């Protein structure tokens, strides 16, 4: 878990002393969640943001017809809810642990009121840069959803998965139901398209493990 903290963009490259200072700056505290427990409920503000240390969580939003949309799947090393915590706005999304999970919960309050210590400016800049990355990530999600066919959505989605390159196997945190909800498609139709891609020799998969076979043809 210490490696997850050290390798996260908020803390990466900091000395042990400066990392301890950063944890105090963000008022960091480890929280444990059982499967099904809420980090944030719908229409609530998020006073703190989190870094997943172990386990997994997902961000959901309910559609007007009662269906559930997966906004994001969160695994170890992922930071989430930073924009909501910074803006302190109530948003119609909820964040749920999909397994036993540990989260480093943090507050962005000192970003808005830094002290004269020069480390505060560095940490504030890192947090602001992270917010900009969140905006880019949302733009990429929009690009995936804008594709017309399920195949195009899938290939755009795979292109955004870290480490998903030819010959390498990645473990997705989304099951088929959640993947379908994330892409905004029918689950059965998604399964058919995945099967087609497998038969064509473009990908291989077993449950949530996926491997890209022909990078250039995809």
């Amino acid at each position: 878990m210490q490696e997850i903290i050290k390798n996260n963009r908020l803390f990466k490259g900091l000395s042990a002393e400066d990392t301890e200072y950063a944890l105090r700056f963000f008022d960091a505290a480890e929280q444990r969640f059982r499967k099904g427990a809420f980090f944030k409920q719908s229409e609530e503000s998020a006073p703190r943001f989190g870094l997943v240390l172990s386990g997994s969580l997902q961000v959901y939003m309910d559609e007007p017809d009662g269906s559930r949309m997966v906004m994001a799947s969160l695994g170890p090393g992922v930071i989430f809810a930073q924009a909501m915590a910074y803006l302190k706005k109530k948003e119609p999304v909820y964040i749920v642990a999909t397994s036993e999970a540990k989260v480093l919960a943090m507050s962005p309050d000192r970003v808005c009121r830094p002290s004269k210590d020069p480390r505060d400016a560095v940490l504030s800049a890192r947090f602001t840069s992270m917010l900009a990355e969140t905006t880019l990530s949302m733009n990429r999600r929009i690009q995936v959803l804008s594709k017309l066919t399920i195949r195009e959505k899938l290939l755009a989605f795979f292109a955004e998965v870290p480490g998903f390159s030819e010959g390498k196997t990645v473990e997705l945190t989304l099951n088929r139901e959640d993947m379908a909800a994330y892409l905004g498609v029918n689950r059965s139709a998604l399964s058919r398209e995945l099967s087609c891609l497998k038969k064509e020799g473009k990908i291989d998969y077993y449950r949530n493990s996926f491997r890209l076979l022909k990078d250039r043809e995809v």
Side-chain angles (χ1 to χ4, degrees), residues 20 41 77 85 90 156 170 206:
E20 287 300 319
Q41 300 221 34
K90 295 181 179 180
V170 296
Y206 177 72

Side-chain angles (χ1 to χ4, degrees), residues 29-33 39 49-54 57 80 101-105:
E30 185 179 306
Q31 295 181 353
R32 296 170 181 259
F33 296 87
F39 180 89
F49 65 101
L51 167 62
V52 183
L53 299 176
S54 67
L57 301 93
F80 62 96
K102 292 181 183 178
V103 172
L104 188 69

